[in-house]
Amino acid sequence: MYITVNGKEMETDICSVDELCQHIGKKRDVIIINGYQTSENFKLSENDVISVIAKGVIPEQSELESMMVARHTPQVHSRVKLAKVAIAGLGGLGSNIAIMLARTGVGNLLLVDFDVVEPSNLNRQNYYISHLGLPKAVALQSQIKEINPFITVNIKTVRVEETNVVELFTGYDVICEAFDNPVAKAMLVNTVIERLKEVKIVAASGMAGYTSSNLIKTERKMKNFYICGDLENGAQIGNGLMAPRVQICAGHQANMVLRLLLGIEEV
Amino acid sequence: MKLNGQIFELNKVISLFQFLQENKYDISRIAVQLNGDIVPKATYADIILQAEDSIEVLSFVGGG
């Protein structure tokens, strides 16, 4: 039978995990079979995908990517690897969405933001003190290189406007609207729906404050238009933005993107 | 007609643009669906609302 071990396909008559580990002579700190981590001596079946990971050992480059996605549900990685997702705005929503999609292995990311990292960003956005003053797109690209070097990350330090939406986002499967400013949000959603009819957009509205997490949800407004958030709680004087609800909303957006990339259109 | 799922009485001939203004929507922060489809902003003033129309106005709030 054929099985895949640490990213390499092999033909074998080995029938259990223990035998396999003896055969390849690897320390077996972590065993993951078809996305599931186990310490049991599972019987192997045709087409099983197995990762055998020794803790504290830096794997060879050729094995690293397969180990990094070993906990993914089978088939997810190969599908998202081909996808193209653009993230418009790299603040509390966009920086966190970018990191989640990079960890998921989305193969092509476009990160767009005109701004640089400043201290008031650090309460909810995925940046460090060492990034202060750097363009957000540059800071994020450098972090993603440390998280998943196997994906392509393109960056643009420009302001997204009605006049450059088509040029920036043509050819992408999905756009995440991740702006802070409600006028920019409305502009991007309206322009994409009018002028990029083949592209799906996952937008966000309403994640300020610390009211209930459970008010944040994902809705499908139209065929290619989804919106995440509570739709009500905006940032305003006396109602700030904090990491938990902003990241919950970013998680809604990232999971909707993942679902769309896997061909699922329901929320 | 219907506005965001609720019955709304139209008592005069009115364009979508006038309707949004009279109902205090900030045009720069909204997306409008008329009978399911997004209405291009440039055409708000040309659309006369009809009794059988269903309008959804999505008002974006700030934060991200």
Side-chain angles (χ1 to χ4, degrees):
Chain A
M1 66 179 176
Y2 284 92
I3 59 174
T4 302
V5 181
N6 290 348
K8 290 191 197 85
E9 197 180 56
M10 58 189 267
E11 192 182 5
T12 181
D13 48 12
I14 288 169
C15 49
S16 74
V17 171
D18 282 355
E19 267 185 78
L20 175 71
C21 292
Q22 276 172 7
H23 175 74
I24 60 179
K26 282 226 178 191
K27 228 172 108 205
R28 48 167 297 175
D29 291 328
V30 178
I31 303 285
I32 300 161
I33 304 179
N34 302 335
Y36 181 67
Q37 185 168 338
T38 180
S39 51
E40 288 173 51
N41 183 22
F42 266 91
K43 205 167 159 283
L44 298 178
S45 309
E46 181 80 31
N47 297 324
D48 276 348
V49 177
I50 302 133
S51 291
V52 182
I53 299 172
K55 289 185 181 173
V57 176
I58 303 295
E60 284 175 36
Q61 193 79 356
S62 63
E63 293 184 326
L64 178 59
E65 189 174 19
S66 72
M67 289 179 178
M68 281 169 50
V69 300
R71 291 300 299 268
H72 275 41
T73 301
Q75 319 301 327
V76 166
H77 183 247
S78 58
R79 295 185 72 172
V80 300
K81 180 94 178 164
L82 302 170
K84 297 181 75 175
V85 176
I87 303 172
L90 304 175
L93 296 170
S95 63
N96 287 300
I97 293 167
I99 298 290
M100 284 186 267
L101 296 183
R103 290 191 193 283
T104 309
V106 172
N108 301 277
L109 294 177
L110 173 66
L111 311 178
V112 188
D113 196 296
F114 68 90
D115 214 352
V116 298
V117 181
E118 50 87 356
S120 77
N121 300 148
L122 299 181
N123 80 331
R124 67 191 187 286
Q125 305 184 17
N126 207 97
Y127 302 107
Y128 311 142
I129 298 286
S130 60
H131 295 134
L132 292 175
L134 270 183
K136 289 182 178 180
V138 172
L140 206 46
Q141 188 181 39
S142 72
Q143 292 178 76
I144 290 175
K145 208 176 265 178
E146 292 286 313
I147 291 170
N148 186 349
F150 301 103
I151 64 173
T152 302
V153 181
N154 289 304
I155 59 172
K156 293 252 165 72
T157 299
V158 296
R159 193 184 285 273
V160 178
E161 287 168 331
E162 212 175 322
T163 49
N164 63 9
V165 166
V166 170
E167 180 196 336
L168 282 168
F169 302 121
T170 296
Y172 282 85
D173 300 308
V174 187
I175 301 168
C176 290
E177 178 284 304
F179 296 134
D180 187 26
N181 179 324
V183 175
K185 286 173 178 291
M187 179 281 294
L188 184 63
V189 167
N190 279 293
T191 310
V192 169
I193 295 172
E194 279 172 41
R195 299 179 62 193
L196 289 172
K197 296 197 193 305
E198 302 306 310
V199 184
K200 296 174 171 68
I201 182 162
V202 180
S205 181
M207 76 298 298
Y210 48 85
T211 187
S212 172
S213 309
N214 292 341
L215 297 174
I216 292 175
K217 54 193 191 313
T218 304
E219 278 184 64
R220 186 186 197 185
K221 286 286 184 186
M222 290 174 54
K223 184 171 180 291
N224 282 345
F225 171 33
Y226 297 80
I227 188 155
C228 305
D230 63 29
L231 306 184
E232 280 180 18
N233 287 286
Q236 55 188 304
I237 292 177
N239 197 28
L241 288 164
M242 277 78 61
R245 289 188 101 239
V246 173
Q247 290 191 26
I248 289 166
C249 192
H252 270 257
Q253 287 181 279
N255 192 47
M256 194 63 239
V257 171
L258 176 58
R259 288 171 64 75
L260 289 170
L261 297 182
L262 297 173
I264 301 159
E265 298 196 327
E266 292 78 36
V267 298
Chain B
M1 66 165 203
K2 272 193 172 167
L3 173 65
N4 296 338
Q6 309 282 319
I7 303 286
F8 191 96
E9 201 182 336
L10 280 176
N11 47 19
K12 60 179 174 183
V13 176
I14 189 169
S15 73
L16 175 59
F17 184 79
Q18 278 175 298
F19 173 83
L20 293 168
Q21 282 203 315
E22 284 183 16
N23 288 280
K24 310 274 182 259
Y25 286 105
D26 179 343
I27 304 272
S28 69
R29 299 180 179 207
I30 59 174
V32 180
Q33 280 175 273
L34 176 62
N35 306 322
D37 293 323
I38 285 274
V39 185
K41 280 208 170 164
T43 67
Y44 285 2
D46 305 330
I47 291 170
I48 304 297
L49 296 177
Q50 311 292 329
E52 59 274 20
D53 283 342
S54 173
I55 295 188
E56 282 232 21
V57 184
L58 174 62
S59 295
F60 287 92
V61 296

